[in-house]
Amino acid sequence: MTTLVSVIIPVWNGAERLPATLKAVDRVISTIEGAKPRALKFQLIVVDDGSDDDTRAAAYPWADLVIGFPVNRGKAAAMSAGCRAAGGEIFVFLDADLGETASCFPVLLEPLVQNQADLTVARLPQVNKPAGFGLVKGLASRGVKALSGYSSLAPLSGQRAVRAEVWKRCGRVYTGFGVEVGMLIDTVKLGYRVMELAVPFGHRETGRDWGGFVHRGKQFVAVGLALWECWRKPVC
């Protein structure tokens, strides 16, 4: 029996970095689909979240489906659009700037295929570049623990794989950068199995400059809103 896996990549203004990521994913897909017996089939979906560069054109040579928003609607909306269009039994979410390291995504997939987990989350390697002060991650970790009882080491990681049925049962309209935290809380509360895995993904890190602080500020607000929503309206 063949399992369809939908790889969903939300992206905003990623024309420069997206092609390398898609090329790496496509190469792995070709290898897996070419193996005998073939147990997995893939569709690659790119959701262009209102980019004002050539992101959409950069995606077309590699993606099976490109979805484009006329304006930027945020990461959660892009992920949701990708899921609605996806036909897979498993969804794999990847950031657009992973480059060659995107080829590591099967590590996230394996526990679901082997029925060992229902949601897998990547723990990325430590980086030497000074970034933020841990406020967003701290808020997310404490919030996930308080609302679900689960101790997460990577609550903000965008690299994850989840069964389609889990995403549909969560059923919540998540907000912006709070989508990962909300998904994690709801998945645990619904009784599904979560596994966090060390995966050597690498992507662009925001630094301690104005742009980095603005990004983390938006992320902090979005995570706070997601936690508030999960507390105000528990999934079960």
Side-chain angles (χ1 to χ4, degrees), residues 132-178:
F133 299 100
L135 298 179
V136 182
K137 184 177 180 180
L139 173 65
S141 297
R142 290 191 295 271
V144 170
K145 177 67 174 179
L147 293 175
S148 72
Y150 182 76
S151 297
S152 174
L153 296 175
L156 301 173
S157 175
Q159 326 314 319
R160 52 184 61 198
V162 63
R163 297 191 192 281
E165 67 175 86
V166 176
W167 176 274
K168 292 171 184 175
R169 278 203 66 196
C170 289
R172 195 189 300 274
V173 179
Y174 300 108
T175 303
F177 292 112

Side-chain angles (χ1 to χ4, degrees), residues 7-11 18 22 43-51 53-70 78 81-82 85-86:
V7 180
I8 301 168
I9 301 180
V11 55
L18 179 63
L22 294 179
Q43 65 173 164
L44 180 52
I45 300 173
V46 173
V47 184
D48 176 15
D49 188 16
S51 299
D53 65 0
D54 293 328
T55 290
R56 210 170 304 183
Y60 279 124
W62 309 100
D64 298 302
L65 175 64
V66 179
I67 300 169
F69 292 166

Side-chain angles (χ1 to χ4, degrees), residues 43-234:
Q43 65 173 164
L44 180 52
I45 300 173
V46 173
V47 184
D48 176 15
D49 188 16
S51 299
D52 53 20
D53 65 0
D54 293 328
T55 290
R56 210 170 304 183
Y60 279 124
W62 309 100
D64 298 302
L65 175 64
V66 179
I67 300 169
F69 292 166
V71 296
N72 183 264
R73 294 172 53 191
K75 186 175 185 180
M79 290 170 63
S80 294
C83 290
R84 288 193 300 271
E89 300 163 57
I90 297 173
F91 300 154
V92 177
F93 299 104
L94 299 175
D95 287 345
D97 60 353
L98 296 177
E100 176 61 31
T101 67
S103 62
C104 298
F105 82 86
V107 176
L108 294 173
L109 190 55
E110 187 65 17
L112 277 74
V113 173
Q114 298 299 328
N115 196 27
Q116 298 169 345
D118 303 300
L119 168 66
T120 55
V121 180
R123 301 196 318 269
L124 275 62
Q126 293 288 336
V127 295
N128 295 323
K129 178 182 177 180
F133 299 100
L135 298 179
V136 182
K137 184 177 180 180
L139 173 65
S141 297
R142 290 191 295 271
V144 170
K145 177 67 174 179
L147 293 175
S148 72
Y150 182 76
S151 297
S152 174
L153 296 175
L156 301 173
S157 175
Q159 326 314 319
R160 52 184 61 198
V162 63
R163 297 191 192 281
E165 67 175 86
V166 176
W167 176 274
K168 292 171 184 175
R169 278 203 66 196
C170 289
R172 195 189 300 274
V173 179
Y174 300 108
T175 303
F177 292 112
V179 58
E180 287 90 2
V181 170
M183 183 199 308
L184 180 56
I185 292 170
D186 289 345
T187 298
V188 173
K189 288 183 69 65
L190 286 169
Y192 289 106
R193 300 163 296 172
V194 176
M195 185 181 295
E196 295 188 350
L197 305 164
V199 187
F201 288 125
H203 63 90
R204 180 182 56 173
E205 296 286 340
T206 55
R208 291 181 180 176
D209 53 17
W210 176 249
F213 286 124
V214 168
H215 171 77
R216 285 187 291 274
K218 292 178 180 178
Q219 196 175 26
F220 189 92
V221 171
V223 168
L225 290 173
L227 293 173
W228 167 254
E229 185 66 16
C230 289
W231 176 80
R232 189 173 67 92
K233 293 182 179 180

